[in-house]
Amino acid sequence: MKNWWLYIKFLINSSNQHGVHSPFVYALVVKCFYNNKNLEIYKKLEPKHKDFNKAKFLYRFVHYFKFDSVYYPENISSNFKSALSLAHGSKGIISYAKNFQNIDDFDKNQFIYLNNKSLENSSNIKNIIKQCSNNSIIIIENIRQTPNIFKQWKELKSSTFVRVSIDTFDWGILCFRKEQHKEHFVIRI
């Protein structure tokens, strides 16, 4: 029951591409979030898995930005790993353990995937946020899983280094585009 109430509150406060006044976010929403093409590559994912639609979103997202490197935690679902590999290729895909010791080359355009277990060490994440390049993006899974995780999401998106934050109910997205004014978007996928 609690999740339904959270989702209803999200729907009331969210918008689609028509409520977005940032060219960067508008293009992302139209070309990536709402890209409903049934791509042939989706057949390589596990369609019966409960996270199939999220895996398709991850594929579209990483493919859209063409990152230099992709970091993800060792313990994500096999469908998510497949989506990331298919979108980026095997070169530049790095899994990390709890302490993020493998994340380096902060001058590159990176995609950093964080699950809620990663949020347990928020000081480590704040250090990563300070070092991310202009075109790097952090995506956080299940930002509403617990009130504490949602509170940490709010703290991270308010960082002075974060210029664009997007709440899609299931995902929290942090962008560091210095050329853009600080804005927060709540968008339905």
Side-chain angles (χ1 to χ4, degrees):
M1 183 69 170
K2 185 177 181 183
N3 286 343
W4 282 101
W5 175 243
L6 290 175
Y7 190 67
I8 290 170
K9 281 176 53 176
F10 168 81
L11 286 176
I12 291 169
N13 294 313
S14 66
S15 67
N16 57 17
Q17 76 268 24
H18 301 295
V20 174
H21 301 292
S22 161
F24 167 75
V25 177
Y26 180 84
L28 174 64
V29 170
V30 172
K31 295 178 182 175
C32 175
F33 288 14
Y34 295 160
N35 179 352
N36 291 326
K37 293 179 184 171
N38 194 7
L39 302 175
E40 193 68 27
I41 200 120
Y42 293 159
K43 292 180 180 176
K44 295 183 179 182
L45 300 173
E46 299 172 38
K48 293 183 180 176
H49 203 279
K50 65 179 180 173
D51 62 12
F52 179 64
N53 287 329
K54 288 182 179 183
K56 290 189 328 185
F57 171 78
L58 266 182
Y59 170 82
R60 289 193 312 268
F61 193 83
V62 172
H63 188 264
Y64 177 78
F65 282 107
K66 301 188 181 354
F67 295 102
D68 294 329
S69 53
V70 172
Y71 291 88
Y72 67 88
E74 293 172 337
N75 58 349
I76 66 171
S77 81
S78 60
N79 235 10
F80 287 0
K81 285 181 191 177
S82 296
L84 294 172
S85 295
L86 291 169
H88 189 70
S90 58
K91 187 178 178 187
I93 295 214
I94 302 144
S95 68
Y96 63 84
K98 291 180 185 176
N99 58 5
F100 308 105
Q101 77 260 12
N102 295 335
I103 297 178
D104 56 5
D105 293 330
F106 282 100
D107 293 335
K108 292 184 175 183
N109 302 332
Q110 299 177 336
F111 173 77
I112 301 172
Y113 180 102
L114 302 174
N115 57 14
N116 359 25
K117 290 188 181 4
S118 305
L119 291 178
E120 292 170 358
N121 190 351
S122 64
S123 63
N124 207 346
I125 295 172
K126 289 175 185 174
N127 288 333
I128 290 172
I129 286 175
K130 290 177 189 175
Q131 298 178 62
C132 280
S133 74
N134 194 51
N135 293 320
S136 291
I137 294 179
I138 295 176
I139 190 166
I140 303 167
E141 178 185 9
N142 292 331
I143 59 172
R144 286 185 173 77
Q145 188 172 30
T146 67
N148 189 38
I149 289 172
F150 194 63
K151 180 182 173 194
Q152 289 176 349
W153 156 250
K154 288 179 179 179
E155 288 175 18
L156 292 173
K157 76 176 185 172
S158 67
S159 167
T160 56
F161 298 100
V162 174
R163 300 308 268 244
V164 174
S165 59
I166 303 171
D167 174 354
T168 68
F169 189 77
D170 289 320
W171 309 96
I173 301 168
L174 304 174
C175 306
F176 305 93
R177 300 168 42 83
K178 293 177 180 70
E179 65 272 16
Q180 187 158 343
H181 295 287
K182 188 168 182 71
E183 290 185 82
H184 175 67
F185 299 92
V186 180
I187 299 177
R188 295 182 297 273
I189 295 184

